[in-house]
Amino acid sequence: MALATTRLRSRAKARKPARRRPAPGEVRALRQRYGLSQGLLARLLDVSLRTVSAAESLPAAPPQLRRNLSQVRRLCEALAESVKPAFVGHWLDQPNEMLGGLKPVEATERGQIDRVWQVAEGVRSGSPL
């Protein structure tokens, strides 16, 4: 009986645990939830496409991206209160009259994030600016 128990234990130790697919990382999850392309997210974060691609394979955002990623997440969440989350990326990449014809991503790149937030708040509240 003891010999059979020892064999069972050794076989159990020899088995490798089943591999689970890793959950999408923080960056990939944000991008997928809000319909952002890697290129659009790179522009919003002011980093290269390669940086976004590499960050997607990590479970958490690298320290150098955390602040900007947090700001982008907040903007996306605010927009998702008034439009479908999957449409947020489209909204950010379309010309907007309230931004003088600039796309919100372009206004962000030009340092006009406050104007983008004003428009986003107008969209969220339903009031024209």
Side-chain angles (χ1 to χ4, degrees), residues 99 102-113 115-116:
L99 296 171
L102 289 176
K103 298 175 182 181
V105 67
E106 293 170 337
T108 300
E109 289 172 322
R110 294 178 183 195
Q112 300 174 3
I113 189 69
R115 287 183 64 203
V116 174

Side-chain angles (χ1 to χ4, degrees), residues 20-55:
R20 288 190 234 162
R21 291 184 86 196
E26 179 181 11
V27 174
R28 178 174 287 158
L30 175 82
R31 197 173 65 72
Q32 290 174 340
R33 174 166 170 70
Y34 295 112
L36 307 170
S37 67
Q38 284 184 336
L40 179 60
L41 184 57
R43 291 175 70 186
L44 290 166
L45 294 173
D46 193 27
V47 297
S48 70
L49 181 60
R50 189 177 205 172
T51 299
V52 170
S53 182

Side-chain angles (χ1 to χ4, degrees), residues 30-97:
L30 175 82
R31 197 173 65 72
Q32 290 174 340
R33 174 166 170 70
Y34 295 112
L36 307 170
S37 67
Q38 284 184 336
L40 179 60
L41 184 57
R43 291 175 70 186
L44 290 166
L45 294 173
D46 193 27
V47 297
S48 70
L49 181 60
R50 189 177 205 172
T51 299
V52 170
S53 182
E56 283 194 353
S57 65
L58 303 173
Q64 65 271 25
L65 290 184
R66 287 191 190 137
R67 182 176 180 194
N68 286 353
L69 191 65
S70 175
Q71 292 173 351
V72 169
R73 181 182 298 109
R74 283 182 39 241
L75 178 61
C76 290
E77 288 170 355
L79 288 166
E81 290 180 20
S82 51
V83 299
K84 291 181 181 180
F87 184 73
V88 170
H90 180 75
W91 186 88
L92 290 167
D93 203 25
Q94 293 299 307
N96 190 301
E97 285 181 32

